Amino acid sequence: MVFRTVLCAALAAALIPAALVGCTSASSRTSSLDWRPCQENAEFACATVTVPIDWGSADGATIDIAVVRDKADDPGRKLGTLVSLPGGPGGSGVDDILKGGKFSPELRARFDIISLDPRGVKRSHPLRCDAGLVGHRPNMVPDLGGRIDEVRSYARDLAASCREHTGPLVDHLDAVSVARDVEALRVALGVDQLSLYGRSYGTMAAQAYAELFPRRLRASLLDSVDDHSLDGRGFFASSARAGQDTFEEYAAWCERDVTCALHGTDVHRVYGELFARAGRGELRDLAKPERVLDPMDLSTKVTQRLFSPDWAGLTADLQALTAQPPASPQPAAPQRSGEPTPAPETIVCTDWKFDIADQDDWTQQWHEQNSNAPTLRAHFAWAAGALCSGWPTPPQNLPHRPRTEGTPPILILNGRHDPATPLEWATRVAAQTPDTTLLTYDGWGHGIYSRTPCTTSAADRYLIDLTVPAPSTHCPAA
C-alpha cells in the first residue's frame, strides 16, 4: 500500500493518468494513512506518508513525512480538508497543531485540518549538520574584516557536514519537493481537492503547489507571502527596508508612549552603540550567556522581537545588553565538533540564488544594506544570502515569476509593517499572479490570520464560503 501510494503520487505529479496504471481515483478511495493518537497529545491523530527523496527518481530511496490531523468538530457540516503549511524554513506544522493551532473555532468545525513537518524538519528526516560549524559561523560584516572567500569556504564545509549527517536528502529540500509531498498527502487522504493555508516560508510550497497542481486546489490562502520572483540583490534590499521600517515603528512608539522604559532616549543611538560593541565582540547572548553576540546575531534578535511585535520585550533586551559588562575574547574560527545538530535554516539555499561576484561586490551590497537599513545596518537575510552564495549545490527551485494557470481565486494576507515579508512582496505577488486578491492589515507584525476579528473573519469567509474580499480591502491596526 505504501509503494502504491508513492507510485500513484509520483505519476500524478508527472501528469500521467492514474487509470493507466491502476491507481484508484480519489473520489472512490478512502485514506490509506494509518492514523493513530499522537504521542504528545492524544486529542489529535498522527501518521506518516512515504515519499521519494528525489521526486525526479520516484523509485529511489524514500523518507516518511510526519503529518497530524485535527478532525472537523462538526462532521455533518464538514467542507473538506485544509492543509496548513508552516513557516520557517524549519517550522513544525505538527507542533503547531499539537499546541492548539492558530485557527478559529468556526474553521476547526468545518475542516479536517492537516499539517506536516516538511521534509528536513524535525520528525521528517531532519536536516542535521555539524554542531561546531552551525554554532560558530564566520564574520559576515565586510566593514569589520569579513571575507567572502572565508564565508564560501565555511559554506562548503557546512554543506559537506550536512551531507555526512543527513544523506542525499540535503539536495532535495526545496519548496517544489515539499509541494509534491503535499500532493502525495492528498492522494493518500483520498480527497479530490485541498484547501491550503501557507504562512511565511510555507507560502513558497503553497505557490509551488498552485503551479504544479492548480486543479487540485479548492482555495489557497497565503499569509505573509514570500516573493519568489526576486533576485538576490532585490531580496537583500527589500528585506532591509522591511527591518528598518518596523524598527522605526518601534522607535516612534517609544518616543510617544511613556510606558516605554526607554522613553525620552534615542533608541537609534542605543542600537548603534550596541552594534559597535557587538563588532568588538563585547556582547553576550541574553539567553545563552556563554555565547558571544556578533553584529548579525544582534540584528536577528532585534528583528525577531518585531515579529509579534513585542516592543516592551525589545526595550528590555536593549536595556539588558547596554548594562552588560564587556565580554572577551571573541569566538574562535568555526571548527567541526563531530556532533550533528538540526540546521533547517540552510534550506533557504535550495530555493534562492544569491550572486556575489567578489569581495568588492560583497562590500558594495553591504553598503546597500546599510543604506536601506541605516539603524539596523542589515536584515537577518544578509547572513543567509552570503552563506547561500557559497553553497556548493545550486538551488533546485530557482526564483521566478509565478507560473499559475487554472487555479481558483487566491487570497493574500499581509501586514503593512512586517519585518520578514514586506508589504511590497505581497503587492508584487498579487500583481504577478492571476486572480489574486491582497488584503492589507494596517498594523505590525508577521503572520496576519489571527491578528484581529477583521483579518480572521475575512480569511474564514474565503476558506469556508470561497468569498474573496473586495480589491484593496484593509483591516485596521489593533
Side-chain angles (χ1 to χ4, degrees), residues 60-124:
T62 62
I63 58 170
D64 288 338
I65 301 296
V67 296
V68 62
R69 180 181 65 189
D70 179 7
K71 292 196 73 172
D73 292 335
D74 189 350
R77 299 173 64 230
K78 190 177 85 169
L79 289 169
T81 299
L82 173 66
V83 173
S84 176
L85 299 172
S92 166
V94 174
D95 284 349
D96 285 346
I97 298 297
L98 295 180
K99 293 175 181 176
K102 59 178 72 69
F103 299 109
S104 69
E106 185 178 11
L107 211 62
R108 293 182 66 185
R110 305 299 299 276
F111 288 94
D112 284 348
I113 299 176
I114 308 274
S115 196
L116 69 157
D117 286 355
R119 54 174 53 212
V121 175
K122 208 160 185 181
R123 303 165 183 85
S124 298

Side-chain angles (χ1 to χ4, degrees), residues 329-378:
Q330 294 196 31
Q335 298 289 332
R336 283 178 179 261
S337 70
E339 295 296 323
T341 191
E345 61 275 8
T346 60
I347 290 172
V348 71
C349 298
T350 67
D351 286 310
W352 293 94
K353 191 172 189 295
F354 295 88
D355 292 319
I356 299 173
D358 51 29
Q359 183 68 26
D360 288 343
D361 185 33
W362 194 42
T363 301
Q364 175 60 35
Q365 293 196 46
W366 171 254
H367 291 158
E368 291 170 7
Q369 281 280 283
N370 295 178
S371 176
N372 283 299
T375 302
L376 296 181
R377 310 300 199 276

Side-chain angles (χ1 to χ4, degrees), residues 129-154:
C129 310
D130 184 88
L133 293 175
V134 171
H136 297 88
R137 67 187 174 204
N139 185 350
M140 296 286 186
V141 181
D143 286 352
L144 297 175
R147 301 293 303 175
I148 191 61
D149 55 346
E150 293 178 2
V151 174
R152 288 172 174 164
S153 175
Y154 167 78

